[in-house]
Amino acid sequence: EACTHFAKWCSPTATEAEIKQTAEGLRHQMDADRSGTISFDEYCFRFGRKYQMERNRLRRAELASGPEEGLKQRTTKSDLEKEREALARERETLELEKERETLKREREALERERQAFRAQADVQAGGPPRPSAPPPEQPPLAVGARVKLQGLQGAAELNGRTGTILRFDTAAGRYVVEVDGGAGQKSLKGDNLVPQGTAGR
């Protein structure tokens, strides 16, 4: 464990595999005969000597490269930590978004079930009243047919007069009627025209 901590301190930006490899090498260097039977005092002595040698090496490297390089290494480590924190926050945000989407789908499914239940309950209770059938439409009037005018509001004086259908204005949805007695042509709705000879509505 001490070798692992030492390896991390020597190379802050190293990967876990590199740290493990460095720690193993350090352990083998302190136990040169690889017997694993050195005393605790001997182990501490070798570890302390290795620690001092490595610390002096790092100091010489920092002096040779200048304080900027050491600051750069520390800054790089800080940047890596910030990136890890940013990635962790991004993962948390994605997880929250997934949970919200799942809850939204569950709410929609629940609302559909409620609507289906209400519709089934309405059917069992007799359901809503059916809409009454629309009144039969008046058959279209042919061109040349004789008609009587009725129900006019803006030209009430023409009510009861007769005329002849000249054509049907599709755009306006009205019949063009030539009114008898010199009243001229009028554009009238079908509801205001009754075929000649039928009773007025």
Side-chain angles (χ1 to χ4, degrees):
E1 184 179 356
C3 293
T4 302
H5 285 298
F6 182 70
K8 289 182 179 179
W9 179 83
C10 293
S11 301
T13 59
T15 62
E16 291 295 332
E18 293 173 343
I19 291 173
K20 183 178 180 181
Q21 183 179 3
T22 303
E24 286 293 326
L26 180 61
R27 185 174 63 83
H28 289 313
Q29 287 178 11
M30 288 188 297
D31 188 6
D33 58 358
R34 299 187 181 182
S35 62
T37 58
I38 62 174
S39 66
F40 180 75
D41 292 339
E42 179 66 16
Y43 181 86
C44 292
F45 173 75
R46 294 184 184 183
F47 185 84
R49 184 174 61 181
K50 186 65 179 178
Y51 176 83
Q52 290 177 355
M53 292 171 61
E54 188 64 26
R55 187 172 181 85
N56 291 334
R57 184 187 66 80
L58 290 175
R59 286 178 178 175
R60 288 193 299 270
E62 185 173 349
L63 290 175
S65 59
E68 293 81 3
E69 186 65 23
L71 178 61
K72 181 179 179 181
Q73 293 180 357
R74 291 191 293 271
T75 303
T76 302
K77 181 179 179 181
S78 177
D79 292 342
L80 288 174
E81 292 177 351
K82 289 180 180 179
E83 289 180 3
R84 293 192 186 98
E85 292 176 357
L87 287 174
R89 288 194 296 269
E90 186 175 354
R91 291 194 193 98
E92 292 177 358
T93 302
L94 290 175
E95 291 297 330
L96 288 175
E97 289 295 332
K98 290 180 181 178
E99 292 179 1
R100 288 172 183 163
E101 188 65 24
T102 301
L103 289 174
K104 180 180 179 181
R105 289 194 295 267
E106 291 178 354
R107 290 193 186 101
E108 291 175 353
L110 181 60
E111 184 62 26
R112 287 193 295 268
E113 291 179 0
R114 287 176 179 172
Q115 292 178 357
F117 177 78
R118 290 170 183 167
Q120 185 177 3
D122 290 341
V123 171
Q124 293 176 353
R130 296 181 180 180
S132 57
E137 296 182 358
Q138 181 179 352
L141 301 172
V143 175
R146 296 286 296 169
V147 293
K148 182 170 65 174
L149 282 60
Q150 68 169 14
L152 298 175
Q153 301 293 330
E157 67 278 3
L158 298 179
N159 289 328
R161 304 275 296 267
T162 57
T164 303
I165 294 178
L166 300 180
R167 67 180 187 279
F168 180 74
D169 188 350
T170 305
R174 292 169 176 262
Y175 291 94
V176 178
V177 180
E178 180 71 34
V179 182
D180 297 342
Q185 297 180 4
K186 303 294 181 181
S187 179
L188 304 173
K189 296 180 181 179
D191 293 340
N192 299 121
L193 303 175
V194 179
Q196 180 69 10
T198 62
R201 289 183 290 178

